[in-house]
Amino acid sequence: MLIDIKTTVKPEDSRTHIRYPFTLDQPAHALRIRFEYSPKLLEDDSKARRLLEQSMELYVLPEQRELAIAGIDRYLPLSNLITLS
């Protein structure tokens, strides 16, 4: 059995769970997943800084925000991350 799914994930898909359900016709001893994504790093530092600042507005306590933004360069280049489950 072969399932071939090719898709594009967009920024608005962030923090979502995308499902690809399938049914096995018979018992299986293994499941192989080949998965690729790119870019691994966001090389555009100005865009990365904007994204980081937006995240800090949402997730960093107001009294810690100024310090967090001052150290924003330590997160550059920004890594993209996709989790499979």
Side-chain angles (χ1 to χ4, degrees):
M1 174 177 183
L2 174 65
I3 300 172
D4 186 15
I5 299 171
K6 295 179 182 171
T7 189
T8 300
V9 179
K10 300 173 207 70
E12 54 268 19
D13 295 320
S14 180
R15 287 189 261 290
T16 64
H17 184 84
I18 301 169
R19 297 181 66 227
Y20 296 102
F22 61 91
T23 304
L24 296 176
D25 299 338
Q26 56 192 8
H29 296 283
L31 174 66
R32 281 188 227 148
I33 297 174
R34 190 185 82 186
F35 180 79
E36 297 175 17
Y37 71 96
S38 67
K40 302 277 185 192
L41 299 173
L42 178 56
E43 299 290 349
D44 182 340
D45 285 352
S46 63
K47 185 173 184 179
R49 280 188 181 85
R50 284 193 307 274
L51 291 170
L52 287 165
E53 287 174 5
Q54 289 171 0
S55 294
M56 289 175 183
E57 289 290 324
L58 290 171
Y59 301 111
V60 176
L61 294 172
E63 60 271 15
Q64 297 172 346
R65 202 169 291 143
E66 187 177 327
L67 182 61
I69 290 173
I72 211 165
D73 284 347
R74 69 182 172 172
Y75 299 106
L76 300 175
L78 190 59
S79 298
N80 283 315
L81 173 67
I82 294 181
T83 304
L84 296 178
S85 60

